[in-house]
């Protein structure tokens, strides 16, 4: 919820991005076309172009086929999750002191 709040009430660029990924005709069209196996894939695809360009290109499609919609997606969006980067917090401890007191080893292993 917090991400959506920031996205939808932030700066203009963030509002335009929200128009694509949080609500709006592009999201509605992609989800209704059922191009992906789930409803999360599309929203995990970072933009290749600015939100303005993507929205303009979408409007230019007019009446389109599923293949044209797929082409639009491949030309304007990156692979899902491609914007993710590995990061380790500077204070990361693989075996924090707090876990030493956990008696259940399964829970301790999960938490570590």
């Amino acid at each position: 919820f917090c991400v959506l709040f920031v996205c939808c009430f932030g700066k203009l660029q963030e509002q335009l991005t929200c128009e694509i990924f949080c609500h709006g005709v592009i999201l509605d069209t992609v989800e209704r076309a059922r191009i992906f196996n789930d409803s999360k894939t599309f929203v995990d695809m970072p933009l290749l172009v600015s939100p303005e360009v993507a929205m303009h290109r979408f409007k230019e499609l007019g009446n389109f086929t599923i293949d044209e919609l797929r082409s639009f997606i491949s030309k304007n969006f990156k692979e899902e999750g491609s914007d993710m980067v590995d990061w380790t917090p500077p204070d990361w401890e693989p075996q924090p002191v707090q876990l030493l007191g956990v008696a259940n080893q399964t829970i301790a292993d999960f938490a570590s």
Side-chain angles (χ1 to χ4, degrees):
F1 295 107
C2 184
V3 172
L4 291 177
F5 179 80
V6 171
C7 179
C8 294
F9 295 101
K11 299 174 187 166
L12 179 60
Q13 190 76 4
E14 292 166 342
Q15 290 175 353
L16 294 174
T17 301
C18 189
E19 179 69 23
I20 293 172
F21 292 111
C22 301
H23 56 81
V25 68
I26 296 176
L27 177 63
D28 184 58
T29 301
V30 171
E31 294 302 324
R32 288 178 188 266
R34 297 181 189 254
I35 292 173
F36 303 106
N37 291 331
D38 59 49
S39 61
K40 190 171 181 322
T41 299
F42 177 70
V43 298
D44 285 344
M45 299 175 77
L47 283 161
L48 275 170
V49 298
S50 71
E52 298 91 344
V53 169
M55 290 191 300
H56 177 74
R57 289 178 178 173
F58 184 78
K59 289 177 185 173
E60 285 182 331
L61 286 176
N63 292 329
F64 52 84
T65 65
I66 293 294
D67 287 337
E68 290 169 329
L69 181 58
R70 284 189 178 106
S71 177
F72 163 78
I73 292 169
S74 69
K75 290 176 183 174
N76 294 281
F77 298 87
K78 298 177 189 176
E79 287 291 317
E80 67 177 304
S82 61
D83 58 338
M84 302 299 290
V85 293
D86 287 333
W87 180 74
T88 302
D91 61 345
W92 170 252
E93 292 182 38
Q95 295 294 325
V97 176
Q98 295 86 343
L99 291 181
L100 297 176
V102 176
N104 184 314
Q105 190 58 47
T106 302
I107 293 173
D109 290 343
F110 175 77
S112 65

